Amino acid sequence: MTTNELLKTLCEEFGAQHEESLNQYIEEFNESAENNLLSKEQFLKYSKRDGMDDQVAERIFTFFDANKDGSMDLREFISANLMIDHGDTNEQTKFFFTIFDLNGDGTIDKQELKLVMKALGVTELTEEELDAIFEDLDEDKNGLLDFNEMLTLFTKE
């Protein structure tokens, strides 16, 4: 199947409004994948181009590897990128919450938020900025953000 045929098929499946994004995802996937699969090592290398650290990149890979076979095919890569770039707020919040919750306890503390934001290339947050985020979002004032509190962050205008 040619790239144009593949793009047409994907536009039919995911929507023609995403054609530009789909084309970009295909190009990015093809630059890094071998035999139509992207291994974890290849994904880590791909992620380093954007300055992402390995811990966060591994968590993202695990989230994207929908069938848990240790590699990402083009469909998994595209589905994940479309969800991040164009998904609804609940999907995006679930993704980012999973990535931010480094210790897997179902909450996000200030240190986790700071580490992940830095790893994602966001300017390192100061203690004052972290305090302000938590003051605004931490409704029960327990020093931790749960999923619903993170959802508030993503639904604020």
Side-chain angles (χ1 to χ4, degrees):
M1 180 179 286
T2 68
T3 300
N4 285 339
E5 292 169 333
L6 176 61
L7 184 57
K8 182 180 178 190
T9 301
L10 292 169
C11 282
E12 289 170 2
E13 182 175 344
F14 293 107
Q17 72 272 22
H18 300 301
E19 181 175 355
E20 186 176 324
S21 294
L22 290 168
N23 196 41
Q24 176 186 344
Y25 303 147
I26 292 169
E27 287 178 17
E28 290 174 0
F29 183 84
N30 287 336
E31 287 174 10
S32 300
E34 291 179 14
N35 300 320
N36 296 319
L37 293 173
L38 191 62
S39 69
K40 184 186 287 188
E41 292 74 28
Q42 291 163 323
F43 184 77
L44 293 176
K45 185 177 177 182
Y46 165 80
S47 299
K48 282 187 190 286
R49 296 187 312 191
D50 295 328
M52 190 180 301
D53 78 9
D54 285 349
Q55 181 182 15
V56 173
E58 284 187 33
R59 295 181 65 78
I60 291 172
F61 180 87
T62 299
F63 189 91
F64 284 1
D65 182 15
N67 64 5
K68 306 302 179 209
D69 67 353
S71 62
M72 207 182 307
D73 63 25
L74 179 61
R75 183 163 309 288
E76 289 170 321
F77 187 78
I78 286 175
S79 295
N81 279 291
L82 279 175
M83 183 271 301
I84 291 171
D85 293 343
H86 305 286
D88 69 34
T89 303
N90 262 347
E91 290 175 322
Q92 291 175 338
T93 304
K94 180 182 177 188
F95 168 74
F96 284 108
F97 190 84
T98 301
I99 301 308
F100 286 143
D101 183 15
L102 296 175
N103 64 7
D105 68 355
T107 61
I108 297 168
D109 64 28
K110 289 180 184 179
Q111 193 59 32
E112 287 172 319
L113 183 61
K114 185 176 183 176
L115 288 172
V116 174
M117 295 298 278
K118 182 179 178 186
L120 292 173
V122 177
T123 304
E124 189 166 341
L125 297 173
T126 66
E127 289 302 315
E128 292 79 22
E129 290 168 325
L130 284 169
D131 289 342
I133 290 170
F134 274 75
E135 178 67 30
D136 189 36
L137 298 177
D138 185 13
E139 294 175 6
D140 58 9
K141 304 302 180 204
N142 67 350
L144 302 168
L145 299 179
D146 62 26
F147 178 80
N148 289 328
E149 291 167 332
M150 277 293 284
L151 187 59
T152 300
L153 173 65
F154 285 91
T155 56
K156 283 189 171 197
E157 294 187 31

